[in-house]
Structure formats: structure tokens, C-alpha cells
Amino acid sequence: ADGRVLARLTPRQVAQLRADGVITGGMIPKVDACLHALHGTARVYIADGRRPHAILLQLATDVQFGTSFIHEQAREP
């Protein structure tokens, strides 16, 4: 709601953010696509396109520039 990029979300958190009106507009299809893709993998990622080289930095370092979508039971550092 305040414009911050959330580092990690579960489907339950996504549902709550949608109900609260935080996930709106153009983010809805992106988040829906991530939740759909999550059925076939452990984690899905939306890179923050405002950051130069966000995908490369995510892959090469521990710094995260975007949001990971993970299963409810997943444990990430």
C-alpha cells in the first residue's frame, strides 16, 4: 500500500493483500501468473524493473530486487 516491494509472499498473503486492496491494477495479472506458475515449481520471482540489472543481481548475489512467491510451507532464509 505504501509502494514498498515485498520480498516474499505466499498464496495466503497474496489473497489477504488482494482483499485489502493492496494488489490492484496491472499487478493483478502479474501476481495471478506467478501463483499459476507456482503450481509447477518451488519459487516464482517478479523482478523490480526499476532497478538496473535486477535479474542478474538476483542470480549472482544474495541481494533481492523484487518479490519471490513461495509455497505456504516453504522455508527460505
Side-chain angles (χ1 to χ4, degrees), residues 16-64:
Q16 186 62 55
L17 290 170
R18 285 181 92 162
D20 293 345
V22 174
I23 297 174
T24 61
M27 287 309 297
I28 291 173
K30 295 174 187 78
V31 169
D32 285 349
C34 286
L35 294 179
H36 180 73
L38 196 56
H39 290 289
T41 191
R43 180 175 62 160
V44 179
Y45 184 75
I46 294 178
D48 183 353
R50 301 172 295 185
R51 303 297 300 248
H53 312 293
I55 294 173
L56 179 61
L57 289 169
Q58 174 67 28
L59 294 172
T61 69
D62 291 333
V63 178
Q64 184 167 325

Side-chain angles (χ1 to χ4, degrees), residues 5-22:
V5 174
L6 300 175
R8 190 170 294 111
L9 290 173
T10 65
R12 187 175 310 169
Q13 291 169 318
V14 167
Q16 186 62 55
L17 290 170
R18 285 181 92 162
D20 293 345
V22 174

